[in-house]
Amino acid sequence: QQQVKQSPQSLIVQKGGISIINCAYENTAFDYFPWYQQFPGKGPALLIAIRPDVSEKKEGRFTISFNKSAKQFSLHIMDSQPGDSATYFCAASISNTGKLIFGQGTTLQVKP
Amino acid sequence: EAQVTQNPRYLITVTGKKLTVTCSQNMNHEYMSWYRQDPGLGLRQIYYSMNVEVTDKGDVPEGYKVSRKEKRNFPLILESPSPNQTSLYFCASRTVNQETQYFGPGTRLLVL
């Protein structure tokens, strides 16, 4: 019930292409869905987040699409750049609790 | 500079030798949390603290202890480390009113 499943495990995209990472959850009580970006040797950093009252959120080249009925959400990176090469984690939590559940992570490589 | 610091950054120890990983934040955050990161498993929450003297278990608390005597510090204690605790550990903090967590740089632990 607490799991968040993330796919794919790894992704290779050409520069300028679209990167898509998918996550699925079971617990309908989750109400906050962040995406974290992690570069080698660094801690994760928040990239973008969404709450289930909207179906899409866009910040620059990064977009979260949220499908409440399917219990799925995804990260789209438009015009992918080599500097986007990193590990991406989706996560889910229930507001005002302390728990944050992460997906398994996706290693993205953007080829020049 | 607002940050979360962890010490040590790298540690090699032997089975059964008690160790403490320190975590400190200078942002006056009420909430702090510990995670471990393992390949293919993403980040898993060990313990979290909503405020001073308030701690609670995450998903993988076995073999770990924490304490929160001061707002800025949240040490992670391994009383009797075992090889299956070899991992990359991250501390994070946030305010109680915001969900965005700020991560430290990580501590890589090897238990022989």
Side-chain angles (χ1 to χ4, degrees), chain A residues 2 9 31-32 34 36 38 41-46 49 51 87 89 93-105, chain B residues 9 31 33 35 37-45 48 50 57-59 88 90 94 96 99-106:
Chain A
Q2 288 288 80
Q9 188 173 2
D31 62 355
Y32 177 72
Y36 280 83
Q38 183 183 31
K42 303 291 186 183
L46 179 71
R51 294 197 181 270
T87 300
F89 294 97
S93 70
I94 303 170
S95 293
N96 301 319
T97 70
K99 290 198 172 186
L100 183 63
I101 310 297
F102 281 87
Q104 294 80 4
Chain B
R9 293 290 312 280
Y31 173 97
S33 184
Y35 300 86
Q37 182 177 356
D38 301 289
L41 297 177
L43 290 98
R44 293 178 293 167
Q45 194 171 35
Y48 61 94
M50 299 291 278
K57 296 178 181 179
D59 287 329
L88 178 59
F90 287 101
R94 63 170 171 85
V96 291
E99 298 288 342
T100 302
Q101 295 197 26
Y102 297 87
F103 283 78

Coordinates of all heavy atoms in Angstrom, one line a residue, chain A residues 2 9 31-32 34 36 38 41-46 49 51 87 89 93-105, chain B residues 9 31 33 35 37-45 48 50 57-59 88 90 94 96 99-106:
Chain A
Q2 N 2.1 1.2 0.5 CA 2.9 2.3 0.6 C 3.9 2.5 -0.5 O 4.6 3.4 -0.6 CB 3.7 2.3 1.9 CG 2.9 2.5 3.2 CD 2.5 4.0 3.3 OE1 1.5 4.4 2.7 NE2 3.2 4.7 4.1
Q9 N 14.1 1.9 -15.3 CA 15.2 2.0 -14.4 C 16.3 2.9 -15.0 O 17.0 3.6 -14.3 CB 15.7 0.6 -14.2 CG 16.8 0.5 -13.1 CD 17.2 -0.9 -12.8 OE1 16.7 -1.9 -13.4 NE2 18.1 -1.1 -11.8
D31 N -1.1 12.8 -1.1 CA -1.6 14.1 -1.6 C -0.5 15.0 -2.0 O -0.7 16.2 -2.2 CB -2.5 14.8 -0.7 CG -1.9 15.1 0.6 OD1 -0.7 14.8 0.8 OD2 -2.5 15.7 1.5
Y32 N 0.7 14.6 -2.1 CA 1.9 15.4 -2.5 C 2.8 14.5 -3.3 O 3.2 13.4 -2.8 CB 2.5 16.0 -1.3 CG 3.8 16.8 -1.6 CD1 3.7 18.1 -2.2 CD2 5.0 16.4 -1.3 CE1 4.8 18.8 -2.5 CE2 6.2 17.1 -1.6 CZ 6.0 18.3 -2.2 OH 7.2 19.1 -2.5
P34 N 6.3 14.8 -5.3 CA 7.5 15.5 -5.8 C 8.4 14.7 -6.7 O 8.3 13.4 -6.7 CB 8.2 15.8 -4.5 CG 7.9 14.7 -3.6 CD 6.5 14.2 -4.0
Y36 N 12.5 14.4 -7.5 CA 13.8 14.9 -7.1 C 14.8 14.5 -8.1 O 14.7 13.5 -8.8 CB 14.2 14.2 -5.7 CG 13.6 14.9 -4.5 CD1 12.3 14.6 -4.2 CD2 14.3 15.9 -3.8 CE1 11.7 15.2 -3.1 CE2 13.7 16.5 -2.7 CZ 12.4 16.2 -2.3 OH 11.9 16.8 -1.3
Q38 N 19.0 14.0 -8.8 CA 20.3 13.8 -8.1 C 21.4 13.6 -9.0 O 21.4 12.7 -9.9 CB 20.1 12.5 -7.2 CG 21.4 12.2 -6.4 CD 21.2 10.9 -5.6 OE1 20.6 10.0 -6.0 NE2 21.9 10.9 -4.4
G41 N 27.4 12.0 -6.6 CA 28.1 12.6 -5.5 C 27.3 13.7 -4.7 O 27.9 14.3 -3.8
K42 N 26.1 13.9 -5.1 CA 25.3 14.9 -4.4 C 24.0 14.4 -3.8 O 23.6 13.2 -4.1 CB 24.8 16.0 -5.5 CG 26.0 16.7 -6.2 CD 26.8 17.5 -5.3 CE 27.9 18.3 -6.0 NZ 28.7 19.1 -5.1
G43 N 23.4 15.1 -2.9 CA 22.1 14.7 -2.4 C 21.0 15.1 -3.4 O 21.2 15.9 -4.2
P44 N 19.8 14.4 -3.3 CA 18.7 14.8 -4.1 C 18.3 16.2 -3.9 O 18.4 16.7 -2.8 CB 17.6 13.8 -3.7 CG 18.3 12.7 -3.0 CD 19.5 13.3 -2.3
A45 N 17.7 16.8 -4.9 CA 17.2 18.2 -4.8 C 15.8 18.2 -5.5 O 15.7 17.6 -6.6 CB 18.2 19.2 -5.5
L46 N 14.9 18.9 -4.9 CA 13.6 19.0 -5.5 C 13.6 19.7 -6.8 O 14.2 20.7 -7.0 CB 12.6 19.8 -4.6 CG 11.2 19.9 -5.1 CD1 10.5 18.6 -5.0 CD2 10.5 21.0 -4.3
A49 N 7.0 19.6 -8.2 CA 6.1 18.8 -7.4 C 4.6 19.1 -7.8 O 4.4 20.2 -8.3 CB 6.3 19.0 -5.9
R51 N 0.2 18.5 -6.6 CA -0.8 18.0 -5.7 C -1.9 17.5 -6.6 O -2.1 17.9 -7.7 CB -1.3 19.0 -4.8 CG -0.2 19.4 -3.8 CD -0.7 20.2 -2.6 NE 0.3 20.6 -1.7 CZ 0.8 19.8 -0.6 NH1 0.2 18.6 -0.4 NH2 1.7 20.2 0.1
T87 N 20.1 11.1 -12.0 CA 19.1 10.2 -11.5 C 17.9 10.9 -11.0 O 18.0 11.9 -10.3 CB 19.7 9.3 -10.4 OG1 20.8 8.6 -10.9 CG2 18.7 8.2 -9.9
F89 N 14.1 10.7 -9.1 CA 13.3 9.9 -8.2 C 11.9 10.6 -8.1 O 11.8 11.8 -7.9 CB 13.9 9.9 -6.8 CG 15.1 9.2 -6.6 CD1 16.4 9.8 -6.7 CD2 15.2 7.8 -6.5 CE1 17.6 9.2 -6.5 CE2 16.4 7.1 -6.3 CZ 17.6 7.8 -6.4
S93 N 3.8 11.5 -0.6 CA 3.6 11.6 0.8 C 2.2 12.0 1.1 O 1.4 12.4 0.2 CB 4.6 12.6 1.4 OG 4.3 13.9 1.0
I94 N 1.9 12.0 2.4 CA 0.6 12.5 2.9 C 0.9 13.7 3.7 O 1.8 13.7 4.6 CB -0.1 11.5 3.8 CG1 -0.3 10.1 3.0 CG2 -1.4 12.0 4.3 CD1 -0.8 9.0 3.9
S95 N 0.3 14.8 3.4 CA 0.6 16.1 4.0 C 0.5 16.0 5.5 O -0.4 15.3 6.1 CB -0.3 17.2 3.5 OG 0.0 17.5 2.2
N96 N 1.4 16.7 6.2 CA 1.4 16.8 7.7 C 1.7 15.5 8.4 O 1.5 15.4 9.6 CB 0.0 17.3 8.2 CG -0.3 18.7 7.6 OD1 0.5 19.6 7.5 ND2 -1.6 18.9 7.2
T97 N 2.2 14.6 7.6 CA 2.8 13.4 8.3 C 4.3 13.5 7.9 O 4.7 14.3 7.1 CB 2.3 12.1 7.7 OG1 2.7 11.9 6.3 CG2 0.8 12.1 7.8
G98 N 5.1 12.6 8.5 CA 6.5 12.7 8.3 C 7.0 11.8 7.2 O 8.2 11.9 6.8
K99 N 6.2 10.9 6.7 CA 6.7 9.9 5.8 C 6.8 10.4 4.4 O 5.9 11.1 3.9 CB 5.8 8.7 5.9 CG 6.0 7.9 7.2 CD 5.5 6.5 7.1 CE 5.8 5.7 8.3 NZ 5.5 4.3 8.2
L100 N 7.8 10.0 3.7 CA 8.0 10.3 2.3 C 8.5 9.0 1.6 O 9.5 8.4 2.0 CB 9.0 11.4 2.0 CG 9.3 11.9 0.6 CD1 8.0 12.4 0.0 CD2 10.4 12.9 0.5
I101 N 7.7 8.5 0.6 CA 8.0 7.2 0.0 C 8.6 7.5 -1.4 O 7.9 8.2 -2.2 CB 6.7 6.4 -0.2 CG1 6.0 6.2 1.2 CG2 7.1 5.0 -0.7 CD1 6.8 5.6 2.3
F102 N 9.7 7.0 -1.7 CA 10.4 7.2 -3.0 C 10.2 6.0 -3.9 O 10.1 4.9 -3.5 CB 11.9 7.4 -2.8 CG 12.3 8.8 -2.3 CD1 12.3 9.1 -0.9 CD2 12.6 9.8 -3.2 CE1 12.6 10.3 -0.5 CE2 13.0 11.1 -2.7 CZ 13.0 11.3 -1.4
G103 N 10.2 6.3 -5.2 CA 10.4 5.3 -6.2 C 11.8 4.8 -6.3 O 12.7 5.3 -5.6
Q104 N 12.0 3.8 -7.2 CA 13.3 3.2 -7.3 C 14.4 4.0 -8.0 O 15.5 3.6 -7.9 CB 13.1 1.8 -7.9 CG 12.3 0.8 -7.2 CD 10.8 1.1 -7.3 OE1 10.3 1.9 -8.1 NE2 10.0 0.3 -6.6
G105 N 14.0 5.0 -8.7 CA 14.9 5.9 -9.4 C 15.1 5.5 -10.8 O 15.0 4.3 -11.2
Chain B
R9 N 31.7 12.0 5.8 CA 31.2 11.8 4.5 C 31.5 10.4 4.0 O 30.7 9.8 3.2 CB 31.9 12.8 3.5 CG 31.5 14.2 3.7 CD 30.1 14.5 3.3 NE 29.7 14.0 2.0 CZ 30.0 14.5 0.9 NH1 30.7 15.7 0.8 NH2 29.7 14.0 -0.3
Y31 N 11.5 19.8 11.0 CA 11.4 18.4 10.5 C 12.8 18.0 10.0 O 13.5 18.7 9.3 CB 10.4 18.3 9.4 CG 10.4 16.9 8.7 CD1 9.4 16.0 9.1 CD2 11.3 16.6 7.7 CE1 9.4 14.8 8.4 CE2 11.2 15.4 7.0 CZ 10.3 14.5 7.4 OH 10.2 13.3 6.8
S33 N 15.0 14.2 8.8 CA 14.8 12.8 8.4 C 16.0 12.1 7.9 O 16.9 12.8 7.4 CB 13.7 12.7 7.3 OG 13.4 11.3 7.0
Y35 N 17.5 8.9 5.5 CA 17.2 7.9 4.4 C 18.5 7.1 4.1 O 19.6 7.6 4.3 CB 16.8 8.6 3.1 CG 15.6 9.5 3.2 CD1 15.7 10.8 3.7 CD2 14.3 9.0 2.9 CE1 14.6 11.6 3.8 CE2 13.2 9.8 3.1 CZ 13.3 11.1 3.5 OH 12.2 11.9 3.6
Q37 N 20.1 5.0 0.7 CA 20.0 4.8 -0.7 C 20.7 3.6 -1.2 O 21.9 3.5 -1.0 CB 20.4 6.1 -1.5 CG 20.3 5.9 -3.0 CD 20.7 7.2 -3.8 OE1 21.0 8.2 -3.2 NE2 20.6 7.2 -5.1
D38 N 20.0 2.7 -1.8 CA 20.7 1.4 -2.3 C 20.3 1.2 -3.8 O 19.1 1.5 -4.1 CB 20.2 0.2 -1.5 CG 20.5 0.4 0.0 OD1 21.7 0.3 0.3 OD2 19.6 0.6 0.8
P39 N 21.2 0.7 -4.6 CA 20.9 0.5 -6.0 C 19.6 -0.3 -6.2 O 19.5 -1.3 -5.6 CB 22.1 -0.2 -6.5 CG 23.2 0.2 -5.6 CD 22.6 0.3 -4.2
G40 N 18.8 0.2 -7.1 CA 17.5 -0.5 -7.4 C 16.4 -0.4 -6.4 O 15.3 -0.8 -6.7
L41 N 16.7 0.2 -5.3 CA 15.7 0.4 -4.2 C 15.3 1.8 -4.0 O 14.4 2.1 -3.2 CB 16.2 -0.3 -2.9 CG 16.5 -1.8 -3.0 CD1 17.0 -2.3 -1.6 CD2 15.2 -2.5 -3.3
G42 N 16.0 2.8 -4.6 CA 15.7 4.2 -4.4 C 16.1 4.6 -3.0 O 17.1 4.0 -2.4
L43 N 15.5 5.6 -2.4 CA 15.7 6.0 -1.1 C 14.6 5.5 -0.2 O 13.5 5.5 -0.5 CB 15.7 7.6 -1.0 CG 16.9 8.3 -1.6 CD1 16.5 8.8 -3.0 CD2 17.3 9.4 -0.7
R44 N 15.0 5.0 1.0 CA 14.1 4.5 1.9 C 14.3 5.2 3.3 O 15.4 5.4 3.7 CB 14.3 3.0 2.1 CG 13.9 2.2 0.9 CD 14.2 0.7 1.1 NE 15.6 0.4 1.2 CZ 16.1 -0.8 1.6 NH1 15.3 -1.7 2.0 NH2 17.4 -0.9 1.7
Q45 N 13.2 5.6 3.8 CA 13.2 6.4 5.0 C 13.5 5.5 6.3 O 12.8 4.5 6.5 CB 11.9 7.1 5.2 CG 11.9 8.2 6.2 CD 10.6 9.0 6.2 OE1 9.5 8.5 5.9 NE2 10.7 10.3 6.4
Y48 N 12.3 9.7 11.2 CA 12.1 11.1 11.0 C 11.7 11.7 12.3 O 11.3 11.1 13.3 CB 11.0 11.4 9.9 CG 9.7 10.8 10.2 CD1 8.7 11.6 10.8 CD2 9.3 9.5 9.8 CE1 7.4 11.1 11.0 CE2 8.1 9.0 10.1 CZ 7.1 9.8 10.7 OH 5.9 9.3 10.9
M50 N 9.6 15.2 13.7 CA 8.7 16.4 13.4 C 9.1 17.6 14.2 O 8.8 18.7 13.9 CB 7.3 16.1 13.6 CG 6.7 15.0 12.7 SD 6.6 15.4 11.0 CE 5.1 16.3 10.9
K57 N 9.4 6.1 13.4 CA 10.0 5.2 12.5 C 9.5 5.4 11.1 O 8.4 5.7 10.8 CB 9.6 3.7 12.9 CG 10.1 3.3 14.2 CD 9.7 1.9 14.6 CE 10.2 1.5 15.9 NZ 9.8 0.1 16.3
G58 N 10.5 5.2 10.2 CA 10.2 5.2 8.7 C 9.9 3.8 8.3 O 9.4 3.0 9.1
D59 N 10.3 3.5 7.1 CA 10.1 2.1 6.6 C 11.1 1.1 6.9 O 10.8 -0.1 6.9 CB 10.0 2.2 5.0 CG 8.7 2.9 4.6 OD1 7.7 2.7 5.3 OD2 8.7 3.5 3.6
L88 N 24.5 4.2 1.3 CA 24.7 5.7 1.2 C 23.5 6.3 2.0 O 22.4 6.1 1.7 CB 24.6 6.1 -0.3 CG 24.8 7.6 -0.6 CD1 26.1 8.2 0.0 CD2 24.7 7.8 -2.1
F90 N 21.5 9.6 3.7 CA 21.2 11.0 3.5 C 20.3 11.5 4.6 O 19.4 10.9 5.1 CB 20.4 11.3 2.2 CG 21.3 11.2 1.0 CD1 21.3 10.0 0.2 CD2 22.1 12.2 0.6 CE1 22.1 9.9 -0.9 CE2 22.9 12.1 -0.5 CZ 22.9 10.9 -1.3
R94 N 13.2 20.1 6.6 CA 12.3 21.0 6.0 C 11.5 21.7 7.1 O 11.6 21.3 8.3 CB 11.3 20.3 5.1 CG 10.4 19.3 5.8 CD 9.3 18.8 4.8 NE 8.5 17.7 5.3 CZ 7.4 17.8 6.1 NH1 7.0 19.0 6.5 NH2 6.7 16.7 6.4
V96 N 7.8 22.6 8.8 CA 6.6 21.8 8.9 C 5.5 22.3 8.0 O 4.6 21.6 7.7 CB 6.0 21.7 10.4 CG1 6.9 20.9 11.3 CG2 5.8 23.1 10.9
E99 N 6.5 21.1 2.2 CA 6.9 19.7 1.9 C 8.3 19.5 1.3 O 8.8 18.4 1.3 CB 5.8 19.0 1.0 CG 4.4 19.0 1.6 CD 4.3 18.0 2.7 OE1 5.1 17.1 2.9 OE2 3.3 18.1 3.5
T100 N 8.8 20.6 0.8 CA 10.1 20.5 0.2 C 11.2 20.1 1.2 O 11.4 20.9 2.1 CB 10.5 21.8 -0.5 OG1 9.5 22.1 -1.5 CG2 11.9 21.6 -1.2
Q101 N 11.9 19.0 0.9 CA 13.0 18.6 1.8 C 14.3 19.0 1.2 O 14.5 18.9 0.0 CB 13.0 17.1 2.0 CG 11.7 16.6 2.8 CD 11.8 15.2 3.4 OE1 12.9 14.8 3.7 NE2 10.7 14.6 3.6
Y102 N 15.3 19.4 2.1 CA 16.6 19.8 1.7 C 17.6 18.7 2.2 O 17.6 18.4 3.4 CB 17.0 21.2 2.2 CG 16.1 22.3 1.7 CD1 14.9 22.6 2.3 CD2 16.4 22.9 0.5 CE1 14.0 23.5 1.8 CE2 15.6 23.9 0.0 CZ 14.4 24.2 0.7 OH 13.6 25.2 0.2
F103 N 18.3 18.1 1.2 CA 19.1 17.0 1.6 C 20.6 17.4 1.8 O 21.1 18.3 1.2 CB 19.1 16.0 0.4 CG 17.8 15.1 0.4 CD1 16.7 15.7 -0.1 CD2 17.9 13.8 0.9 CE1 15.5 14.9 -0.1 CE2 16.7 13.1 0.9 CZ 15.5 13.6 0.4
G104 N 21.2 16.7 2.7 CA 22.6 16.8 2.9 C 23.4 16.1 1.8 O 22.8 15.5 0.9
P105 N 24.8 16.2 1.8 CA 25.6 15.6 0.8 C 25.8 14.1 0.8 O 26.3 13.5 -0.2 CB 26.9 16.3 1.0 CG 27.0 16.5 2.5 CD 25.5 16.8 2.9
G106 N 25.3 13.5 1.8 CA 25.4 12.0 1.9 C 26.6 11.5 2.7 O 27.7 12.2 2.8

